[in-house]
Amino acid sequence: MAAKKMVKQTEPAKKNVSVEINGVKYSYDVEPRLLLVHFIREYAGLTGTHIGCDTTNCGACTVLMQFDGKWKAIKSCTYFAVQANGKKILTIEGMAKGDELHPLQKAFWEHHGLQCGYCTPGMIMASAGFLMINPNPTEEEVRHGISGNLCRCTGYVNIVKAILAAAEEIRSSGKPVVEV
Amino acid sequence: MIPRKFEYLAPTTLAQAVSFLRKYKDAKVLSGGMSLIPMMKLRLVSPQYIVDINNIKGLNYIKDGGRVVRIGALARHADIEHSPIIKKKLPLLAEAAPQIADMQVRNLGTFIGSLAHADPAADWPASILALDAELVAQGTGKRRIKAVKFFKGPFETALKPTEILVEAVIPVPSGPKVGQAYLKFERKAGDYATVGVAASAVLNQKNEVQSLGIGLTAVAPAPFKATEAEEILLGQRPTKDLIEKAAQAAADMSDPSSDLRGSAEYKREMAKVFTRRALNKAFERAGVSV
Ligand SMILES: Cc1cc2nc3c(=O)[nH]c(=O)nc-3n(C[C@H](O)[C@H](O)[C@H](O)COP(=O)(O)OP(=O)(O)OC[C@H]3O[C@@H](n4cnc5c(N)ncnc54)[C@H](O)[C@@H]3O)c2cc1C
Ligand code: FES
Ligand code: FES
């Protein structure tokens, strides 16, 4: 079956993709098969978004995207860049405001929520997406919320602590989880 | 991992989407993409055309129609997880939703896409079998397909390649005493089921089972409705003994295969255990203790 398909292979037209990432517009003509994570890393040059497994399991590629009227966490290794055309995206680079870290970033730092840091951008973006759904979670709910993100170093305990601490700070500040 | 090349089509109406499917033979519908894109990356499927239905307006809905709930093609797993209508009217779905995959996958993956995909271990098929739902397919015309007639085999459904699944119409179980449950047995967080059992029961004032739906997933080439188990309890007051017999009947109807999640023998045993537990829970929630 695969061999037959190769023979039939056409050269598909490139598509223009314009997306706003962290408030900046990026517009390129790309192959339809380009994955969003490669658009973010290689075209927009934002390498904070990582690729861990490339199979929708580890969450290292998690970004926030605005669709169906809401900001939601998605795995950018499992989404075509063409699908994102016209949409807004937020990556780890868009979380801090100048020198001021986002409460999640600060909490990960203070509670030692990272060691090698490979999973951290995805972990933080997933946490942001989670806190928008559930601003006042229990520890159990945090664990369920980040179950799509793997960390090979920390054992999760400090990550969970960090998310709970950030949730509290965000609630008491009265500000939204992300300001965009 | 990079998929093979394909042409990307983004219709804005259903009619346009259907016409693309009729025009291009080697085309696939893209809804949530949470099964299709991983398969394309692994090059298990390599369609020449992708028909992305996400730009068609008016497909993301969960509507309370009184005696039925309607779920549109673009309602995501997460929409079902957080829907007040679903919580109130079809708690079975609200219980199943957070057990599917992880938050990010639930944000994109769709209920209808999961039914169309028909993975033999998926969670939604068992739920709609227990609830006796009907599915609406859109080709040049529209037709309704009963859930029991929809699943044909692994990744195989009654849907034609030129049809788009647009809606599920799910009857809301009603009667004097109503109870539902979805139980999933998984090896690790976010994994597919080793076995999943959906149960929906309605009992009368005398505590006799008035109607009962039991759906099982992951223990046969296709999800199935355990009709032989249902018949054992219909018209009866549930007892420990009858529930055990029903659970055995469900396990006897199963046809699991051995894989990393367990041997066929083990899975058949788990089908029994989880059918028993799902029934107990559904009856308990209906206010009937056994
Ligand atoms: C990490 C991970 C874990 C997962 N865990 C689970 C789990 O525990 N339980 C579970 O049930 N599922 C699980 N899934 C699968 C997930 O639920 C998918 O969302 C679902 O199987 C497919 O829905 P989709 O909307 O993403 O469809 P897509 O991936 O877009 O499509 C899947 C198939 O269905 C066809 N299709 C889609 N929509 C339509 C339509 N409207 N009409 C006609 N054909 C259509 C497509 O052409 C394609 O062939 C998991 C997925 C991942 C990546
Ligand atoms: S790289 Fe996307 S989930 Fe692992
Ligand atoms: S800190 Fe190393 S993977 Fe999480």
Side-chain angles (χ1 to χ4, degrees):
Chain A
M1 183 182 105
K4 238 190 200 156
K5 291 239 169 87
M6 286 231 286
V7 179
K8 283 199 291 181
Q9 193 81 66
T10 52
E11 193 56 50
K14 287 200 169 182
K15 294 266 174 195
N16 181 264
V17 174
S18 294
V19 290
E20 199 182 297
I21 309 178
N22 309 328
V24 179
K25 194 140 182 197
Y26 298 88
S27 181
Y28 295 99
D29 291 336
V30 304
E31 274 191 286
R33 64 173 170 171
L34 183 77
L35 296 164
L36 179 61
V37 70
H38 295 296
F39 185 95
I40 294 170
R41 290 176 54 86
E42 290 148 32
Y43 286 74
L46 299 166
T47 53
T49 302
H50 292 167
I51 300 170
C53 65
D54 211 1
T55 54
T56 336
N57 285 296
C58 76
C61 62
T62 303
V63 299
L64 295 183
M65 187 173 78
Q66 204 176 35
F67 64 105
D68 300 345
K70 275 182 224 144
W71 283 98
K72 299 191 229 184
I74 65 159
K75 293 180 171 177
S76 64
C77 74
T78 315
Y79 199 76
F80 294 116
V82 281
Q83 295 179 269
N85 187 31
K87 294 192 171 72
K88 289 183 180 167
I89 287 165
L90 193 69
T91 69
I92 190 71
E93 289 92 341
M95 291 297 270
K97 293 275 162 279
D99 283 344
E100 196 193 327
L101 292 181
H102 184 276
L104 274 164
Q105 292 173 306
K106 220 166 66 187
F108 268 67
W109 183 358
E110 282 166 3
H111 293 269
H112 305 285
L114 60 148
Q115 285 176 28
C116 80
Y118 199 86
C119 70
T120 313
M123 202 60 95
I124 286 182
M125 300 318 286
S127 306
F130 169 69
L131 291 180
M132 283 189 266
I133 298 169
N134 184 351
N136 192 4
T138 61
E139 178 185 329
E140 194 58 33
E141 288 164 348
V142 169
R143 287 180 180 275
H144 182 250
I146 59 164
S147 69
N149 290 69
L150 302 180
C151 174
R152 302 299 282 173
C153 303
T154 65
Y156 303 100
V157 172
N158 288 348
I159 292 178
V160 174
K161 274 189 202 157
I163 297 168
L164 286 168
E168 198 179 327
E169 188 185 327
I170 294 166
R171 281 198 311 278
S172 60
S173 76
K175 287 188 192 156
V177 177
V178 292
E179 293 177 81
V180 275
Chain B
M1 288 183 304
I2 314 286
R4 286 220 173 82
K5 291 178 181 178
F6 60 85
E7 196 87 53
Y8 175 77
L9 303 163
T12 52
T13 65
L14 264 178
Q16 209 181 8
V18 170
S19 77
F20 283 145
L21 291 181
R22 295 178 69 81
K23 185 166 166 199
Y24 302 113
K25 289 288 159 270
D26 190 13
K28 280 256 175 228
V29 171
L30 171 70
S31 51
M34 292 300 103
S35 292
L36 182 58
I37 299 176
M39 286 193 306
M40 288 174 68
K41 289 172 71 178
L42 293 166
R43 301 197 176 192
L44 293 171
V45 289
S46 299
Q48 268 191 39
Y49 294 88
I50 285 293
V51 181
D52 181 356
I53 61 170
N54 286 275
N55 296 298
I56 303 173
K57 295 232 161 22
L59 292 182
N60 182 348
Y61 59 84
I62 297 168
K63 281 186 200 154
D64 184 351
R67 285 161 51 209
V68 297
V69 169
R70 292 168 188 278
I71 300 181
L74 287 179
R76 319 265 173 196
H77 305 323
D79 296 327
I80 291 167
E81 183 181 358
H82 303 297
S83 159
I85 295 172
I86 296 292
K87 250 179 214 119
K88 186 161 154 242
K89 297 232 152 161
L90 299 169
L92 164 49
L93 301 186
E95 187 169 21
Q99 302 188 58
I100 295 174
D102 54 57
M103 173 186 66
Q104 292 95 314
V105 171
R106 291 194 297 275
N107 279 341
L108 279 169
T110 66
F111 179 79
I112 295 286
S114 166
L115 302 177
H117 185 52
D119 188 307
D123 296 293
W124 291 134
S127 316
I128 66 153
L129 284 167
L131 291 166
D132 254 326
E134 281 196 328
L135 304 173
V136 182
Q138 172 87 57
T140 39
K142 254 189 194 180
R143 65 179 178 122
R144 279 197 178 210
I145 310 164
K146 283 194 178 310
V148 280
K149 296 261 159 98
F150 187 74
F151 302 104
K152 300 283 190 194
F155 306 99
E156 210 187 309
T157 69
L159 212 59
K160 297 194 186 105
T162 50
E163 283 178 323
I164 297 176
L165 200 58
V166 288
E167 189 180 68
V169 183
I170 308 174
V172 179
S174 71
K177 298 177 184 183
V178 175
Q180 304 172 8
Y182 185 76
L183 292 191
K184 176 176 180 175
F185 178 42
E186 56 184 12
R187 281 177 322 155
K188 61 180 174 71
D191 195 17
Y192 279 92
T194 302
V195 58
V197 184
S200 165
V202 179
L203 298 95
N204 65 19
Q205 295 297 4
K206 288 186 280 180
N207 289 352
E208 291 156 352
V209 179
Q210 193 173 301
S211 70
L212 181 63
I214 305 171
L216 274 83
T217 192
V219 284
F224 67 93
K225 193 164 191 286
T227 44
E228 282 161 35
E230 295 166 6
E231 274 156 26
I232 290 172
L233 281 155
L234 271 177
Q236 307 289 326
R237 264 186 226 161
T239 60
K240 267 207 172 91
D241 189 42
L242 283 175
I243 291 173
E244 196 59 30
K245 283 203 175 101
Q248 186 59 53
D252 290 344
M253 280 182 80
S254 75
D255 179 18
S257 46
S258 301
D259 61 19
L260 285 173
R261 292 188 179 85
S263 65
E265 189 190 1
Y266 172 73
K267 288 186 188 177
R268 195 168 290 122
E269 186 63 21
M270 288 305 108
K272 183 171 103 186
V273 170
F274 279 81
T275 304
R276 183 211 301 140
R277 290 184 192 170
L279 286 170
N280 277 329
K281 198 158 241 180
F283 290 138
E284 184 191 309
R285 286 173 178 168
V288 178
S289 52
V290 182

